[in-house]
Amino acid sequence: MCRIGAIKSKDFVHPSTALCLMQSQQKGHDNSGFAMVMQDLGGVFADYKDKPLMSYACTDAGVKIVEDFMREKGFSLAFHWSPKKNDATGLDIELMQHYHFENWDYPKLMANAPQAEKEELLTGIRLELRRVLEDAGDKIGFVYSFWPDVLTLKEIGNPKDIGTYFDLWNKNDKLMAKIITVQCRQNTNYDIVRYAAHPFFNQGYTVLANGENTFYVKNKECQKNLHRSYIGFESDSQCFLYTLHYVHRQLKWPLTYFKHVITPLPFDQIETRDDAQVLLSIRQSLPHLEINGPNTIIGVLPDGTMINTCDSKKLRPVVIGREGDTVALSSEVCGLNDIMPNRDASKDIYTNERETVIINNDLEVLRCKQ
Amino acid sequence: MQTVKINDITPNDLPWTIEWSEDKCKMCGSCTAACTFGAIEAGVEGRGVTFSEGVAPNPQAAAKRAVPVIRQVADIKHRCTGCGMCEKVCPNRAIRPVRNEDNRWNFVNRSAGMPKRGGRSNLGVEDRTLDKIVVGRISQMTDPSLDALRHTFDMRAPFGRILPPEQLPLSVGPDGTLQMDKPLPTVNWIYPLVFSDMSIGALSTRCWEAISMATAYLNEECGIPIRMCSGEGGMPVSLLKSELLKYMILQIASGHFGWNRIIKAMPDMVADPAGIIIKIGQGAKPGDGGLLMAQKVAKHIQAIRGVPKSDLLSPPNHQGLYSIEESVQKMFLSLNAAFKFRVPVAIKTSATASSVSIYNNLLRDPYNIVGGYLIDGIQGGTGAANEISLDHTGHPVVSKVRDCYNAAVAQGRQGQIPLWAAGGIGLTGNAAADAFKVICLGANGVFVSKILLQLMGCVGNDRGRCNACNTGLCPAGLTTQEKKLVKRLDIDKAAQNIVDYVLAFDSEMKKMMAPIGNSSLPVGRSDALVSTDEAVANKLGIQYAC
Ligand code: SF4
Ligand code: SF4
């Protein structure tokens, strides 16, 4: 079972906090993987917020492919950073040769292009690069995200050891972010591949989930035609990202309608509501994006808003707590106890089956009933 | 020596022979009275009798005696259909039909010209695709299954045109919620089981009434939004003008029988019908029009249809419409306009190799008026159909539904034109399991008809028993207008049987939805199925398991 967590704070947070959040939940995951997405970065990336940041893991050959590819596309390297690696023996981690986090300057022609055009370009580059790497050979390289102010790290192995290898336990000011989403354990429903680990990221949207998507086949069959970036599907949880992206970015529906899409109200309840027509139209147009399985979903929007919602049977746990200028979400309450020992636990929120909890950038926590 | 008349028919040439026991028979005449086909008659046979008189045995041959017997009529027209009515009425169990494996039926029956026969396909019923599929993905540890008894399930399927999300007329209002700017095409969310189109001429009035009673009861007392399709030929004006019309789907077939009355009744309708089905073809006699034999066109049928007593043949196609695009547009536009676009209009064809092309055409639907596509497979059908059609024409429905669904998936348009499947659903009595599997393969719901007859007391089966629905002599009073025969039908019991079956169907569906963790219908959840037959698995794109 995956364990997931998320931290949103007004101050910069070090990934060690996220590791601590997960560490106490270790009995609930199988130590087979770790993944993390950091957004609104500080530390060494603070000066490059507007430049797209590429996160990738590669072999020697892969690095060359990436660099050649990027140059050919007209990008120039603005900043490169690799975590300090701790090659201690006995670490349980399936290493790649290189882990790169690179800020790139847009091609000259694009420098002043409108934001939307830039976003399409970045998406296209990531998709193309992923294909190029895949074509070049098995496990040559993995490109996780290419977006301003977003860093993604995914690895197969014991989260604790992965933390050790990347020096993430050591609190310093190099790697900092105001939003960190994190998951322990690979998704083992399908192949154990690096891409399969959540959080998943696409065009400013991050989603991770604890649970199982029994509607995976339906979701996937529908999503693969909806947007060119809906690819991969290495994990059944990936579908949640695409649905959030589709509902919010493509259809431009208000955030609260995500819940109406994934877990629509039963017909007899819809019929009693003033907005019955709207809800019915959504339910009948998008039945293939519904989920029925047990899930807790955490999402982050491009503007930094964080959300949490659950399946309509509320079969998976999640808890939200707050201390000072930080709000954290965790599969298990022990995670919160570890990083927020002094919070008022009576104010913890256990998101219910018909709720979407929205945490905005002022850290106001809104509970929206579906 | 007597001449052997080699071409004479004997009971042994017929599919059913009568086993009659002289010992048990008390010659009450019940059986001959009950046999609607005139397949048995009382006769006299000469017998030699030996008797004894006196205290000591003293057997003596008597003169020949005339003995009354019940014997089978050995001609094609009055052949025994194996319906078993004689057995049912016999107080002494002295008579019963026996299947005659050594018959010469295929050779002799054509001598009377082309036989018509109603009922069911008689070939290939043992080897059903649906029986080679089982629900293989059971929710266990990580995705717990549901409690079939206590959980609430959303058992509804769409009937009507569904717009893709980007075409929904939604905009964000000042309060940050979505507003609907203009109305959508009408979609009725109904139970995924529809009582299929059997016309009020094909069935006895009381039989049709029993189904409509069951429909109304299920809706009003059981809260199951089931719908019934009128079949071709219209319906009583009193029903057209009643509130109950909302449970009826009107059918328009190529003969357009009954439509003038429907149109005339429109101004007085207090409720909209649940939908309209344009029937292009049916599973029982694909490529053929409808056929109601003159013997079934009773007075009230003449009145409802507005026709004289004669064979009523619908042409095999809708006259004047020669392409999918043209026909669909013309018919859909006019029918939609007739009800001011409030009533969804769906189309029904026989399953065929080209079903996918038809569906693809429907999916284009620039007018947003195609409310559904119903595919009727080879095992469907009641009523009058040529034996040759029943046995040798048609297309299995399962793979066609799957192909159509996959075609929609490939275009990202699944669900926009609801897919409904018919033809053999419930053939073995397991309608819920059949429906569940077809729904997992991509259908939104199913239509059933023959099983309704069976629930009401039809004694026919798919191995050539009875199947005389076209003759107007239905021994169960179901498919006849013969007053005496119709009385055999206990209308309340018939309706109750249907209601009971649907209630069982409902809980069986839930029993299957629960273990795969679905609280709504499992449309397209092909991952929940596995097949024990590799070829079936490959064709349907589901897992092979052994
Ligand atoms: S089985 Fe039916 S058709 Fe045959 S003799 Fe008996 S009643 Fe008549
Ligand atoms: S009992 Fe009636 S409905 Fe059934 S097969 Fe015989 S004739 Fe047809």
Side-chain angles (χ1 to χ4, degrees):
Chain A
M1 182 85 59
C2 296
R3 286 296 181 265
I4 54 174
I7 299 169
K8 182 166 168 59
S9 177
K10 288 188 181 169
D11 309 317
F12 287 108
V13 177
H14 188 262
S16 57
T17 313
L19 274 171
C20 285
L21 179 70
M22 305 314 286
Q23 189 57 28
S24 52
Q25 303 177 54
Q26 64 175 325
K27 287 215 171 65
H29 55 81
D30 71 357
N31 288 336
S32 65
F34 175 81
M36 164 175 88
V37 172
M38 300 171 71
Q39 279 153 286
D40 200 348
L41 299 167
V44 295
F45 294 102
D47 298 336
Y48 302 95
K49 277 180 141 2
D50 55 336
K51 296 189 196 308
L53 170 57
M54 185 178 292
S55 308
Y56 66 102
C58 267
T59 60
D60 285 337
V63 172
K64 177 147 178 22
I65 290 172
V66 174
E67 280 170 0
D68 291 350
F69 178 88
M70 292 303 283
R71 296 223 158 80
E72 194 210 314
K73 295 286 173 188
F75 283 87
S76 50
L77 191 62
F79 177 68
H80 170 103
W81 187 81
S82 278
K84 182 177 154 220
K85 285 177 259 180
N86 177 352
D87 242 338
T89 47
L91 291 182
D92 172 14
I93 166 170
E94 264 183 44
L95 283 176
M96 294 293 289
Q97 279 170 300
H98 303 281
Y99 296 89
H100 286 188
F101 303 95
E102 298 172 341
N103 290 106
W104 292 82
D105 276 319
Y106 286 101
K108 288 218 164 48
L109 275 176
M110 288 296 290
N112 297 316
Q115 182 62 17
E117 238 172 83
K118 283 184 176 166
E119 292 183 355
E120 285 316 298
L121 173 75
L122 297 184
T123 308
I125 292 285
R126 175 176 62 82
L127 298 175
E128 219 181 308
L129 185 55
R130 172 172 168 165
R131 199 164 44 242
V132 168
L133 285 168
E134 274 168 359
D135 290 349
D138 200 19
K139 297 186 187 159
I140 276 196
F142 301 86
V143 46
Y144 300 121
S145 58
F146 185 38
W147 202 258
D149 217 14
V150 172
L151 183 149
T152 307
L153 188 143
K154 297 189 179 193
E155 222 11 278
I156 298 171
N158 184 330
K160 193 166 166 237
D161 292 353
I162 293 169
T164 306
Y165 180 75
F166 289 112
D167 197 25
L168 298 181
W169 289 109
N170 178 14
K171 215 172 190 138
N172 57 37
D173 57 1
K174 293 206 167 49
L175 209 49
M176 304 291 274
K178 289 185 178 167
I179 301 171
I180 303 180
T181 46
V182 59
Q183 172 240 27
C184 283
R185 189 212 181 173
Q186 280 278 350
N187 185 316
T188 47
N189 294 354
Y190 299 88
D191 270 356
I192 297 193
V193 292
R194 285 175 171 78
Y195 282 128
H198 29 134
F200 301 100
F201 179 84
N202 188 27
Q203 298 196 322
Y205 292 82
T206 312
V207 164
L208 65 170
N210 170 16
E212 179 127 353
N213 177 9
T214 48
F215 276 8
Y216 168 67
V217 169
K218 264 177 89 157
N219 286 175
K220 174 182 159 175
E221 282 177 347
C222 176
Q223 286 169 340
K224 64 187 189 338
N225 289 304
L226 291 177
H227 194 269
R228 65 176 173 146
S229 67
Y230 301 169
I231 60 154
F233 296 102
E234 285 87 1
S235 158
D236 55 6
S237 305
Q238 207 162 354
C239 298
F240 308 138
L241 169 71
Y242 297 153
T243 299
L244 178 64
H245 178 271
Y246 183 68
V247 169
H248 193 249
R249 188 182 201 266
Q250 299 305 110
L251 295 175
K252 302 198 169 33
W253 290 351
L255 186 56
T256 43
Y257 288 90
F258 175 57
K259 182 78 177 148
H260 285 293
V261 171
I262 58 170
T263 62
L265 293 170
F267 288 103
D268 49 357
Q269 284 183 37
I270 289 182
E271 278 158 11
T272 62
R273 297 199 16 160
D274 294 342
D275 54 353
Q277 283 303 318
V278 171
L279 297 188
L280 192 61
S281 72
I282 293 174
R283 172 150 202 193
Q284 61 196 26
S285 282
L286 288 168
H288 293 84
L289 295 185
E290 278 177 34
I291 61 165
N292 224 220
N295 278 291
T296 280
I297 299 164
I298 298 173
V300 182
L301 305 186
D303 68 357
T305 304
M306 191 176 270
I307 64 165
N308 172 232
T309 191
C310 299
D311 68 275
S312 56
K313 301 167 200 115
K314 186 67 178 93
L315 285 167
R316 282 295 148 89
V318 70
V319 54
I320 304 172
R322 176 187 192 129
E323 191 180 287
D325 279 344
T326 304
V327 173
L329 291 77
S330 170
S331 296
E332 296 178 48
V333 76
C334 59
L336 294 187
N337 292 345
D338 263 14
I339 65 163
M340 303 179 152
N342 301 319
R343 78 184 191 291
D344 179 355
S346 69
K347 296 213 169 102
D348 286 354
I349 294 173
Y350 293 84
T351 312
N352 77 36
E353 68 273 20
R354 285 294 171 200
E355 246 180 356
T356 306
V357 175
I358 301 176
I359 303 147
N360 69 18
N361 285 339
D362 294 327
L363 294 195
E364 285 167 350
V365 179
L366 307 166
R367 305 180 71 167
C368 308
K369 186 123 178 65
Q370 183 180 6
Chain B
M1 195 176 107
Q2 207 170 353
T3 316
V4 176
K5 292 187 202 123
I6 202 80
N7 289 329
D8 275 3
I9 306 283
T10 68
N12 198 33
D13 294 323
L14 303 175
W16 296 87
T17 51
I18 286 297
E19 206 176 80
W20 174 71
S21 158
E22 189 172 359
D23 298 350
K24 295 187 200 155
C25 180
K26 61 168 186 164
M27 298 306 286
C28 67
S30 302
C31 57
T32 49
C35 179
T36 54
F37 307 104
I40 39 177
E41 60 186 6
V44 177
E45 284 174 2
R47 301 271 161 88
V49 182
T50 303
F51 69 100
S52 170
E53 279 178 343
V55 200
N58 181 18
Q60 298 173 44
K64 293 271 185 296
R65 268 196 195 172
V67 180
V69 293
I70 301 295
R71 68 177 171 219
Q72 185 168 2
V73 175
D75 77 49
I76 289 168
K77 183 152 180 266
H78 296 106
R79 73 180 196 280
C80 170
T81 65
C83 72
M85 283 299 143
C86 47
E87 185 181 5
K88 270 197 186 152
V89 295
C90 177
N92 287 5
R93 303 209 174 200
I95 190 166
R96 68 183 188 115
V98 179
R99 186 183 298 279
N100 176 15
E101 303 292 353
D102 298 319
N103 70 70
R104 300 183 62 245
W105 184 238
N106 275 346
F107 304 99
V108 296
N109 77 335
R110 286 164 168 101
S111 63
M114 189 159 58
K116 296 277 190 293
R117 198 198 54 199
R120 7 136 151 269
S121 106
N122 286 329
L123 301 176
V125 291
E126 267 86 40
D127 201 29
R128 284 197 342 146
T129 308
L130 286 171
D131 296 330
K132 294 175 183 157
I133 299 173
V134 287
V135 181
R137 178 178 173 140
I138 310 299
S139 293
Q140 295 290 295
M141 309 267 284
T142 58
D143 54 333
S145 44
L146 304 173
D147 184 325
L149 290 176
R150 295 177 192 84
H151 195 85
T152 46
F153 294 84
D154 240 351
M155 307 281 291
R156 296 221 214 163
F159 194 84
R161 177 69 162 97
I162 289 171
L163 293 189
E166 63 277 6
Q167 278 180 34
L168 293 178
L170 297 175
S171 60
V172 183
D175 60 348
T177 61
L178 287 174
Q179 322 269 309
M180 187 161 290
D181 305 329
K182 51 180 203 250
L184 291 174
T186 305
V187 182
N188 290 333
W189 282 88
I190 60 179
Y191 199 70
L193 180 77
V194 171
F195 297 155
S196 191
D197 33 344
M198 294 183 288
S199 75
I200 201 168
L203 304 183
S204 71
T205 330
R206 282 163 64 92
C207 169
W208 199 88
E209 217 175 301
I211 303 176
S212 28
M213 270 169 63
T215 306
Y217 189 88
L218 283 162
N219 274 282
E220 311 220 323
E221 299 297 325
C222 311
I224 292 180
I226 208 157
R227 298 291 176 264
M228 167 182 175
C229 179
S230 67
E232 182 178 23
M235 56 171 83
V237 172
S238 56
L239 180 51
L240 286 170
K241 292 180 182 170
S242 101
E243 194 54 49
L244 297 177
L245 185 65
K246 62 177 186 261
Y247 303 138
M248 304 296 299
I249 295 172
L250 302 177
Q251 185 182 77
I252 180 163
S254 52
H256 295 219
F257 288 119
W259 264 81
N260 53 346
R261 285 189 137 219
I262 292 177
I263 288 164
K264 273 192 206 143
M266 269 183 198
D268 302 318
M269 285 182 186
V270 295
D272 283 332
I276 293 171
I277 283 185
I278 300 176
K279 186 189 86 175
I280 307 287
Q282 63 271 285
K285 41 189 166 180
D288 218 345
L291 170 59
L292 191 65
M293 313 298 281
Q295 56 263 39
K296 289 171 78 170
V297 186
K299 276 245 151 44
H300 59 278
I301 302 303
Q302 294 166 29
I304 290 173
R305 295 195 170 195
V307 289
K309 186 172 181 76
S310 63
D311 280 357
L312 299 181
L313 284 97
S314 299
N317 58 8
H318 280 256
Q319 302 290 311
L321 305 169
Y322 296 109
S323 72
I324 300 173
E325 297 83 356
E326 186 195 31
S327 49
V328 165
Q329 277 164 27
K330 264 193 205 167
M331 293 182 336
F332 278 61
L333 276 172
S334 52
L335 283 172
N336 271 294
F339 286 98
K340 302 280 178 294
F341 296 89
R342 293 187 313 261
V343 176
V345 182
I347 203 154
K348 167 177 167 176
T349 71
S350 326
T352 158
S354 60
S355 295
V356 179
S357 322
I358 298 170
Y359 193 52
N360 279 335
N361 271 286
L362 297 179
L363 280 171
R364 277 185 210 122
D365 183 24
Y367 304 99
N368 294 331
I369 46 173
V370 182
Y373 181 39
L374 165 59
I375 315 179
D376 198 9
I378 193 168
Q379 282 156 338
T382 56
N386 289 318
E387 195 164 52
I388 189 82
S389 308
L390 282 170
D391 289 351
H392 300 284
T393 321
H395 194 299
V397 72
V398 179
S399 62
K400 271 305 137 196
V401 167
R402 186 72 183 140
D403 289 350
C404 285
Y405 180 75
N406 285 339
V409 166
Q411 300 167 52
R413 311 183 93 154
Q414 57 268 56
Q416 291 173 20
I417 310 276
L419 256 179
W420 289 75
I425 306 294
L427 187 68
T428 56
N430 297 315
D434 290 355
F436 182 88
K437 293 169 190 175
V438 178
I439 290 174
C440 282
L441 292 170
N444 290 90
V446 297
F447 277 57
V448 294
S449 52
K450 206 156 62 188
I451 193 171
L452 301 178
L453 291 180
Q454 280 162 302
L455 291 168
M456 290 188 286
C458 163
V459 291
N461 72 9
D462 287 277
R463 293 182 61 226
R465 179 170 153 165
C466 196
N467 293 352
C469 321
N470 60 304
T471 57
L473 298 171
C474 171
L478 296 163
T479 56
T480 172
Q481 306 297 353
E482 203 61 53
K483 281 205 180 72
K484 269 198 309 211
L485 294 180
V486 172
K487 284 210 184 103
R488 289 186 180 180
L489 178 72
D490 180 340
I491 179 167
D492 297 317
K493 184 80 184 105
Q496 189 184 340
N497 285 356
I498 295 177
V499 168
D500 288 346
Y501 189 86
V502 172
L503 294 177
F505 176 98
D506 192 59
S507 42
E508 283 186 5
M509 279 294 277
K510 290 170 182 168
K511 270 276 174 207
M512 301 195 84
M513 283 157 73
I516 65 162
N518 261 63
S519 50
S520 55
L521 290 176
V523 182
R525 274 214 63 192
S526 55
D527 60 304
L529 304 178
V530 299
S531 177
T532 49
D533 180 310
E534 204 171 354
V536 168
N538 288 340
K539 172 65 196 162
L540 300 178
I542 58 177
Q543 271 190 54
Y544 167 57
C546 59

